[in-house]
Amino acid sequence: MSLKIYKKLDLTGQSCAGPLGELSGVLEELSPGEAVEATLGDEATKKDVVAFATKKGYKLVSERNEGGKFVVVIGK
């Protein structure tokens, strides 16, 4: 099953609750088969985002490190 990227978010300039708040709103907009790609500035934020998304019932589709930034794809 391939997921369609619904939206790409650059959250590298944000920390703490900022990325979670913005990501939460976008995740709620997802339809089944869609995903959001989020670029995060640090590993701690990546861990928080992954934990938040899985707790809410979303799937971590992929994660990768691109030049010190963390890119996660979270799907419904």
Side-chain angles (χ1 to χ4, degrees), residues 29 57 64:
E29 297 172 8
R64 65 187 185 275

Side-chain angles (χ1 to χ4, degrees), residues 7-41:
K7 193 174 275 190
K8 292 185 179 188
L9 300 175
D10 182 353
L11 305 174
T12 55
Q14 301 180 39
S15 61
C16 205
L20 291 180
E22 191 167 339
L23 185 62
S24 176
V26 174
L27 288 174
E28 291 176 6
E29 297 172 8
L30 291 181
S31 297
E34 292 181 333
V36 62
E37 180 180 285
T39 304
L40 308 162

